[in-house]
Amino acid sequence: MATLRCMQFDHAKERFDDEKLPTVTSDEQVKVECSVAALYNFARTTNEALKGPLLHRERHIAYLKKGLVDLPEGFTVLDASRPWLIYWAVHALELLDVRLEDDEAAKVIDFLRHCQNPSGGFGGGPGQYSHLAPTYAAVNALVIIGTKEAYQIINRDTLQDYLWSMRTAEGAFLMHEGGEIDIRGVYCAVSVARLTNICTEQLFENTPHWIMRCQSYEGGFSGTPGMEAHGGYTFCGLAALTLLHAHHLCHTPTLLKWAINRQMRFEGGFQGRTNKLVDGCYSFWQGGLFPVIHSILTQESNAESLSNERWMFQQEALQEYLLLCCQHPRGGLIDKPGKPPDFYHTCYTLSGMSVAQHFTTKDIHKKYIVGKPANELTLSHPFYNVGVEAAVAATEYFCSLPVPQVIAKHLAKMEKEKESSGQS
Ligand SMILES: CC(C)=CCC/C(C)=C/CC/C(C)=C/COP(=O)(O)OP(=O)(O)O
Ligand SMILES: [Zn+2]
């Protein structure tokens, strides 16, 4: 694969050299291809060429564990994203098949308890206003920890009330009180509602139609209607639609064409949007679309033409990019060569690697592990991005509890909105 890539690289370079007017974008692309080519060439000359690339599991575990205990100084800007840092770390560890020790789990649970607000939802830290993004991160982290104590932190009544207060008349969601409305808010709301079994029909009335206004002419989804398609937003839109059982609304052929074309033909990793650079985190935001697309197509009439063996992207090329170009020598994974490691990229590169390693449907599980068999990661749930076992256990637990009663004040508000828009 690496040999082939080197030939392709010469080709690509000629292609760019021939262009009369290089642009900032084409110059940046050539630079990235050069740095990636150097790493692929280097790998051919080392032991890794014979034995295959190695996932530096222990280094990544040490990097994550250390950061979970004491937050490095440079992370202070992320003080409003503490539940995110926790989720990224515990999910990355889960993919590496590491469970938190009891005392580590107890600290995390206690910290997240202090991030939850009496009026519902979780803030970015203790005493901070609730926000849908850290709410999603906190719920996912607690689900991954997976003990009764962790589950019971989540106040499902106030969480449902909070989701109602973020809902707009059109069925979209604000990220926080007075904040922006976008497709991330919709996904975070749908994901936590489904996982904790607080979903009701009214809470997400018209939400699928709002999501569909974000599918762009290119096929991917944008953050808000009419904007540019991007992998992060596309994952949010598709996962939310599927969790709401409304995937039939999606125009899947254009989405598939768009998603397939985001895998970079030289680097092997994904870009987030047309004409932009490869980035390790899109291994999940884009790579994670394929299992969802596969499950949608399986339910359609021409399902027999679907592969029973592989996702519709080059699974080995993605793993090579991640193993050879995205592992930081001191632990942690990165966006692209030359970038520093962080928890976000460590989480989403590993999440994407897990998707690329495992082809799983209801009845089939095939593995495509590039490099050593010990590189294998655990399976992640395609809609929530927590371990499959953790998602199943949480669903079982929360589905044994009653769905909280819809709060009358929200229903009255909804009726009033309908009246004023002439819908009823
Ligand atoms: C659940 C949740 C909160 C999901 C987040 C989804 C996500 C990653 C959205 C990405 C948003 C975006 C337009 C990034 C562009 O960044 P850029 O211009 O720096 O990068 P690019 O050049 O690669 O597009
Ligand atoms: Zn990134």
Side-chain angles (χ1 to χ4, degrees):
M1 182 64 69
T3 320
L4 181 64
R5 298 269 188 77
C6 293
M7 285 159 51
Q8 283 175 341
F9 175 68
D10 289 340
H11 208 73
K13 211 164 160 300
E14 273 167 31
R15 180 165 52 86
F16 284 116
D17 287 347
D18 283 351
E19 276 175 14
K20 301 270 177 312
L21 287 173
T23 63
V24 173
T25 311
S26 68
D27 282 349
E28 288 297 317
Q29 179 61 29
V30 170
K31 276 190 216 153
V32 173
E33 289 188 20
C34 285
S35 62
V36 168
L39 289 164
Y40 285 146
N41 281 333
F42 178 71
R44 282 194 305 150
T45 63
T46 63
N47 250 350
E48 295 203 315
L50 292 174
K51 297 187 194 145
L54 176 68
L55 176 70
H56 301 299
R57 185 180 291 270
E58 295 309 322
R59 287 185 212 170
H60 303 319
I61 294 172
Y63 169 77
L64 291 161
K65 283 252 182 177
K66 187 167 184 317
L68 194 60
V69 178
D70 63 75
L71 211 55
E73 218 174 278
F75 281 43
T76 43
V77 284
L78 290 171
D79 188 54
S81 304
R82 299 284 295 277
W84 270 123
L85 292 169
I86 291 171
Y87 161 62
W88 295 330
V90 295
H91 182 49
L93 286 167
E94 178 187 36
L95 291 164
L96 293 162
D97 208 10
V98 175
R99 284 192 69 82
L100 294 192
E101 302 293 338
D102 289 350
D103 61 324
E104 291 169 329
K107 274 190 203 150
V108 168
I109 293 170
D110 194 50
F111 179 76
L112 293 175
R113 189 202 320 272
H114 286 97
C115 294
Q116 188 168 217
N117 282 304
S119 54
F122 293 76
Q128 297 185 24
Y129 287 126
S130 288
H131 189 294
L132 274 175
T135 297
Y136 164 82
V139 167
N140 272 6
L142 292 165
V143 162
I144 293 168
I145 291 173
T147 58
K148 230 174 175 185
E149 197 203 342
Y151 294 156
Q152 286 171 352
I153 293 297
I154 305 166
N155 184 329
R156 296 164 63 248
D157 293 322
T158 56
L159 179 57
Q160 195 196 51
D161 198 21
Y162 175 64
L163 296 186
W164 268 110
S165 62
M166 292 300 105
R167 190 192 137 93
T168 72
E170 292 176 307
F173 285 79
L174 299 161
M175 289 305 291
H176 60 96
E177 203 184 319
E180 67 277 30
I181 297 166
D182 69 46
I183 207 162
R184 293 168 309 153
V186 170
Y187 168 65
C188 292
V190 174
S191 177
V192 299
R194 273 273 181 251
L195 256 182
T196 62
N197 188 34
I198 58 168
C199 236
T200 66
E201 226 171 86
Q202 293 104 326
L203 182 56
F204 295 108
E205 196 176 303
N206 288 331
T207 302
H209 295 283
W210 187 87
I211 298 173
M212 281 314 301
R213 289 175 53 208
C214 297
Q215 185 168 22
S216 87
Y217 69 94
E218 283 194 279
F221 289 67
S222 53
T224 50
M227 304 306 281
E228 183 185 12
H230 192 284
Y233 298 137
T234 304
F235 177 83
C236 290
L238 188 66
L241 266 187
T242 313
L243 285 167
L244 293 171
H245 308 303
H247 40 273
H248 56 277
L249 296 177
C250 174
H251 196 270
T252 321
T254 31
L255 169 63
L256 179 60
K257 188 171 170 201
W258 178 82
I260 285 171
N261 281 293
R262 303 285 70 76
Q263 186 168 26
M264 307 299 273
R265 62 180 171 167
F266 178 69
E267 301 90 311
F270 284 92
Q271 63 184 181
R273 45 184 162 150
T274 310
N275 276 331
K276 298 293 305 253
L277 302 175
V278 69
D279 179 339
C281 66
Y282 301 134
S283 308
F284 176 74
W285 299 117
Q286 303 286 21
L289 296 172
F290 291 90
V292 188
I293 294 174
H294 211 97
S295 85
I296 296 174
L297 293 176
T298 306
Q299 296 162 46
E300 290 184 355
S301 51
N302 52 355
E304 63 283 354
S305 58
L306 262 185
S307 169
N308 273 330
E309 310 227 327
R310 305 183 63 96
W311 305 130
M312 282 183 270
F313 71 96
Q314 224 301 332
Q315 292 166 243
E316 288 83 357
L318 177 62
Q319 291 177 62
E320 286 190 356
Y321 176 67
L322 294 170
L323 290 166
L324 295 171
C325 306
C326 293
Q327 297 196 81
H328 194 273
R330 288 195 296 279
L333 289 103
I334 61 176
D335 157 351
K336 59 175 70 60
K339 298 276 181 175
D342 58 60
F343 280 12
Y344 167 83
H345 285 92
T346 304
C347 169
Y348 290 108
T349 49
L350 293 177
S351 303
M353 197 184 304
S354 165
V355 174
Q357 288 179 341
H358 302 274
F359 174 86
T360 49
T361 65
K362 234 174 20 201
D363 329 291
I364 304 166
H365 184 181
K366 286 185 185 289
K367 296 180 190 177
Y368 300 90
I369 315 290
V370 168
K372 303 210 188 322
N375 289 354
E376 182 175 344
L377 299 172
T378 63
L379 275 177
S380 199
H381 191 286
F383 306 145
Y384 305 116
N385 202 23
V386 299
V388 169
E389 281 176 23
V392 170
T395 309
E396 211 168 279
Y397 174 82
F398 289 115
C399 286
S400 71
L401 305 174
V403 178
Q405 288 306 301
V406 177
I407 292 162
K409 65 178 179 195
H410 296 303
L411 288 182
K413 185 176 145 221
M414 204 171 166
E415 284 312 313
K416 233 170 149 185
E417 282 163 356
K418 275 189 194 164
E419 264 168 37
S420 58
S421 68
Q423 274 183 49
S424 64

